Amino acid sequence: MSELKCIHGKADCFYEHYERKGEAQHQTHYCPGCGHGIAHKLLAESIDELGIRDRVILVSPVGCSVFLYYYFDVGNVQVAHGRAPAVATALKRAHPEAIVISYQGDGDLAAIGSAEILHAANRGENYTSIFINNAIYGMTGGQMAPTTLMGNRTTTTPFGRNVFNDGYPLHVSEVIATLEAPVYVERAALGNIKQILQAKKAIKKALETQMKGLGFSMVEILSPCPTIWKMDPVDAQKHVREGLAAVYPLGAKRDRTREAEPRPAPVPAPALEELPRILKLDKGSDTPAPVHHETVDFRVKVAGFGGQGVLLLGQLLAEAGMDYGLEVSWLPSYGPEMRSGTSNCHVRLSNKPVDSPFVSSPNVLIALNEPSLRKFIATVEPGGLVFYNGTTIPADCIRPGLRMHAIPFFSVADELGSTKVGNIVVLGALLSATGVLPLEVVDHALPRVVKAEKWIEIDRLALRRGASLLSPEVPVHV
Ligand code: SF4
């Protein structure tokens, strides 16, 4: 008997074996008649035929096809729900020589990830998106997707999709095709052999678009989901041909592959060792050496109005603490108003890892106005320190057992030339009262926090003026 030639075999870029738990080892993760198996095969064959297997990085989504990486013997990254375009963007920019393919279902791409795909396409990112549209959430049990057809009953539209309640089916390919940047967008389907062969052509063309460096390419594939549609596989394929394809017309929605020019190569990323210098995190030789801190547990609440420099004060304290070898956290909290709204921040400096950045019982309260003092005074820990921006502490705010300083910090700053540095005057006073950090460490951190150079000198003056304020003449309520 003459030897038979195998003309349809396993694509090389599929693993020889895939692992499944327990008794399910003999079957794939997909239901009988599911389109994912066919789409996987088309993609795998295209990768083989283009000879790009060693360069491919697949980005798999959340959804039925999350287990893509069990089948494809290529680079694989599994990502959070809807975030495949962002990760594909990063992978392609970091590895321009790689062929990056994201594979997403309609729940993933058209619902939670709709902003991601829109912006990746609009930027013309040079990766390929394979978008499997079965018009339903499969893995989670049949909720309505943006692509669900009108009138279809789902677990979240039990009376059928209604335009006034649920809107219209979202035509993702048509939307993407209206953008300037995408190079190739085609909708294909898996409804019969002819459609499947056309789907493979489209996948190959999309990959070639990326290989030529032309820009964003996407193939939407209308795909059967017999399980959730509650159809047998044959009827499900028929529904792809006659139901889905009637609403979502097949064919190229955008094809600029002939006229598009290759995109310029991405700007190479700086070397890792350069990052501290670029981010101005290099400490330089003049930073005082960190000391061994026996016990530091500073829980600081800074509160005032927006515009008083509340957040900057906290940030500077945290930055300097970090330089000094302490564990730090800084947690801002402010209203929607830029100025005059309430603003506060929580700062922790510790010689131990910080368990929570939230400061509910501060041992230092910096209240830059009376409402803040009234609001937070009751939360200060016994023995704690309070700095109040005012000439006297309101009588009903005095709490025995606290060290309370009332100083008009912003008036002091005014004498220096600008009320804007009142927050730094407070910081100087805090450092002198507690000795938690040397002034020089704050000096060094200043340019990283205060970006405008013109303020650095006056800030340094303010720091020292603040440190000089706690003379014995200043009244302290204890
Ligand atoms: S639920 Fe639908 S999409 Fe998911 S594996 Fe089953 S048939 Fe495929």
Side-chain angles (χ1 to χ4, degrees):
M1 200 169 85
S2 63
E3 243 178 53
L4 293 176
K5 191 174 163 217
C6 177
I7 54 169
H8 284 295
K10 178 188 78 59
D12 284 344
C13 81
F14 280 142
Y15 284 113
E16 276 310 315
H17 301 283
Y18 59 89
E19 304 284 329
R20 287 206 70 185
K21 287 181 193 152
E23 293 171 1
Q25 185 59 60
H26 63 287
Q27 62 191 48
T28 71
H29 294 86
Y30 305 118
C31 309
C34 173
H36 279 307
I38 304 171
H40 282 20
K41 188 168 167 72
L42 300 182
L43 179 58
E45 287 177 351
S46 301
I47 291 170
D48 285 351
E49 287 165 24
L50 292 169
I52 53 175
R53 177 179 163 195
D54 290 346
R55 295 165 62 196
V56 166
I57 305 176
L58 268 184
V59 184
S60 50
V62 168
C64 282
S65 50
V66 63
F67 294 121
L68 196 71
Y69 52 78
Y70 274 91
Y71 302 101
F72 283 80
D73 187 6
V74 297
N76 281 289
V77 180
Q78 199 274 316
V79 300
H81 211 346
R83 305 301 175 244
V87 174
T89 296
L91 288 167
K92 186 67 185 186
R93 289 190 184 190
H95 301 282
E97 73 294 345
I99 302 298
V100 177
I101 306 165
S102 73
Y103 186 105
Q104 298 179 263
D106 48 324
D108 192 69
L109 180 143
I112 192 167
S114 55
E116 303 271 336
I117 189 67
L118 201 62
H119 292 292
N122 195 39
R123 295 191 302 267
E125 300 293 346
N126 187 29
Y127 80 91
T128 301
S129 169
I130 305 293
F131 167 37
I132 305 296
N133 180 4
N134 53 26
I136 196 81
Y137 273 83
M139 187 181 73
T140 46
Q143 294 82 4
M144 189 198 90
T147 46
T148 297
L149 305 190
M150 292 315 304
N152 273 13
R153 289 170 190 253
T154 70
T155 58
T156 47
T157 56
F159 304 111
R161 183 173 187 168
N162 172 329
V163 64
F164 298 110
N165 207 45
D166 315 306
Y168 291 93
L170 192 61
H171 289 64
V172 175
S173 288
E174 282 80 353
V175 171
I176 300 282
T178 63
L179 305 172
E180 298 261 331
V183 175
Y184 176 61
V185 181
E186 173 148 355
R187 183 180 291 120
L190 305 179
N192 55 28
I193 299 296
K194 191 172 166 211
Q195 289 183 348
I196 290 171
L197 293 177
Q198 179 55 34
K200 178 163 170 198
K201 271 192 199 162
I203 291 173
K204 269 182 96 167
K205 185 164 177 175
L207 293 175
E208 283 165 344
T209 301
Q210 181 180 172
M211 290 164 72
K212 290 175 190 160
L214 301 182
F216 184 80
S217 53
M218 183 170 102
V219 182
E220 175 178 346
I221 301 177
L222 305 181
S223 173
C225 173
T227 301
I228 303 292
W229 293 354
K230 296 187 174 48
M231 293 179 183
D232 68 37
V234 174
D235 285 343
Q237 258 202 321
K238 188 169 172 220
H239 182 58
V240 168
R241 289 191 306 275
E242 297 176 6
L244 291 192
V247 174
Y248 297 110
L250 305 185
K253 307 297 167 192
R254 187 171 180 84
D255 186 352
R256 294 196 300 115
T257 50
R258 282 177 193 276
E259 63 270 25
E261 296 287 333
R263 285 163 64 89
V267 180
L272 273 183
E273 19 331 325
E274 285 289 290
L275 290 183
R277 185 187 56 75
I278 293 166
L279 298 173
K280 299 193 173 149
L281 296 175
D282 49 340
K283 296 194 168 102
S285 54
D286 54 336
T287 310
V291 294
H292 178 69
H293 305 280
E294 283 305 325
T295 308
V296 177
D297 180 20
F298 246 57
R299 281 165 281 120
V300 186
K301 172 79 66 79
V302 190
F305 288 135
Q308 284 185 304
V310 168
L311 304 187
L312 187 138
L313 195 169
Q315 210 180 352
L316 185 54
L317 185 59
E319 281 280 339
M322 194 159 54
D323 284 353
Y324 204 48
L326 292 166
E327 303 280 342
V328 305
S329 65
W330 171 74
L331 182 70
S333 166
Y334 47 87
E337 317 89 339
M338 281 292 282
R339 293 197 170 265
S340 304
T342 56
S343 172
N344 65 66
C345 68
H346 310 230
V347 181
R348 292 198 59 181
L349 305 183
S350 176
N351 59 327
K352 295 194 183 132
V354 173
D355 50 4
S356 164
F358 190 77
V359 175
S360 51
S361 312
N363 51 18
V364 177
L365 171 64
I366 297 173
L368 298 185
N369 58 31
E370 191 175 325
S372 299
L373 180 71
R374 294 189 176 284
K375 185 169 179 187
F376 295 113
I377 189 67
T379 66
V380 181
E381 196 174 83
L385 184 59
V386 177
F387 287 99
Y388 171 56
N389 175 43
T391 45
T392 49
I393 307 257
D396 58 336
C397 290
I398 293 175
R399 260 188 58 199
L402 300 183
R403 279 189 299 148
M404 303 181 75
H405 299 274
I407 301 172
F409 295 104
F410 286 78
S411 305
V412 174
D414 199 19
E415 288 162 16
L416 293 175
S418 173
T419 53
K420 287 191 172 175
V421 296
N423 56 346
I424 309 294
V425 178
V426 189
L427 182 57
L430 172 69
L431 298 186
S432 111
T434 61
V436 66
L437 302 171
L439 292 184
E440 299 71 40
V441 178
V442 179
D443 275 348
H444 191 268
L446 260 170
R448 292 203 303 278
V449 180
V450 179
K451 305 287 182 210
E453 237 174 75
K454 62 177 183 178
W455 290 105
I456 301 292
E457 270 324 298
I458 187 168
D459 277 337
R460 287 186 174 138
L461 271 178
L463 197 63
R464 279 152 184 79
R465 182 74 182 95
S468 72
L469 285 174
L470 293 190
S471 58
E473 304 84 63
V474 176
V476 185
H477 293 280
V478 179

